[in-house]
């Protein structure tokens, strides 16, 4: 024996008859819908910068050391390690970007610095990072021991300015 509530719930699930039998409108062709949120292309400024790991953990496109191609997101995050060679590489790439040597239509959103070791940075490296921060937003990713072992699961470190 059914109750009135059960009958009403079933009628709501099925919907009015017009939904089932009514004409079906064909959507007009158009551009695909934009994905929710902004998509990024991770561009490494040197080998081993961490673009593959960042793209796997945070989402986005891994460009390796190349500029984004025609179908890739136009928002660029330059990636470097926090060792001296990595910071010099990101400074050179920033210079290239600012001098217009990057392909047209790219937006440089920020630099992502991935810790090259656990612990605090030596003062000279910290000074170099402050110089970079004077010209562009910088996000710092801390040392994650699990990533070194290939474990990209778990909760990723929260980047400043992200939810």
């Amino acid at each position: 024996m059914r109750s009135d509530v059960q009958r009403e719930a079933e009628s709501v699930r099925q919907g009015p008859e017009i939904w089932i039998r009514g004409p079906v409108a064909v959507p007009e062709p158009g551009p695909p819908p934009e994905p929710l949120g902004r998509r990024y292309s991770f561009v490494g400024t040197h080998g081993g910068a961490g673009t593959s790991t960042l793209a796997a953990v945070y989402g986005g496109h891994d460009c390796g050391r190349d500029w984004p191609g025609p179908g890739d997101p136009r928002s660029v995050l330059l990636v470097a390690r926090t060792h001296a060679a990595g910071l010099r590489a990101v400074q050179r790439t920033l210079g290239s970007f600012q001098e217009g040597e990057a392909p047209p239509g790219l937006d440089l959103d920020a630099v992502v610095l991935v810790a090259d070791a656990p612990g605090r940075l030596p003062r000279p490296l910290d000074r170099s990072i402050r110089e970079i921060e004077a010209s562009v937003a910088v996000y710092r990713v801390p040392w994650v021991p699990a990533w070194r072992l290939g474990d990209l699961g778990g909760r990723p470190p929260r980047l400043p300015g992200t939810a």
Side-chain angles (χ1 to χ4, degrees), residues 2 4 8-9 14 17 32 34 41 66-67 70-71 78 84 108 116 130-132 137 152 154 161:
R2 292 185 185 166
D4 290 336
E8 188 175 326
Q14 292 175 350
E17 200 170 342
E34 286 292 317
S41 288
D66 297 323
W67 293 114
L78 295 178
L108 175 60
D116 67 311
R130 284 197 302 273
E131 290 173 10
I132 296 167
L152 303 182

Side-chain angles (χ1 to χ4, degrees), residues 83-162:
H83 50 60
L87 296 176
R88 281 193 302 272
V90 79
Q91 288 170 330
R92 278 192 306 272
T93 307
L94 276 172
S96 296
F97 207 100
Q98 292 165 345
E99 292 171 15
E101 295 172 9
L106 297 180
D107 295 322
L108 175 60
D109 284 296
V111 168
V112 180
L113 298 177
V114 181
D116 67 311
R120 294 177 59 93
L121 288 174
R123 280 194 178 125
L125 298 179
D126 203 38
R127 250 191 316 269
S128 293
I129 291 173
R130 284 197 302 273
E131 290 173 10
I132 296 167
E133 288 173 329
S135 63
V136 66
V138 173
Y139 297 112
R140 294 172 75 168
V141 178
W143 178 258
V144 181
W147 290 359
R148 191 174 196 195
L149 298 171
D151 179 8
L152 303 182
R155 188 178 187 120
R158 186 170 120 30
L159 298 178
T162 61

Side-chain angles (χ1 to χ4, degrees), residues 6 12 33 39 79 91 157 160:
Q6 285 177 324
V12 170
R39 293 201 43 227
V79 181
Q91 288 170 330

Side-chain angles (χ1 to χ4, degrees), residues 17-57:
E17 200 170 342
I18 186 88
W19 290 359
I20 298 169
R21 291 192 194 170
V24 177
V26 176
E28 291 186 30
E34 286 292 317
L36 295 177
R38 191 163 194 169
R39 293 201 43 227
Y40 296 98
S41 288
F42 291 100
V43 176
T45 60
H46 58 88
T51 58
S52 299
T53 300
L54 293 174
V57 171

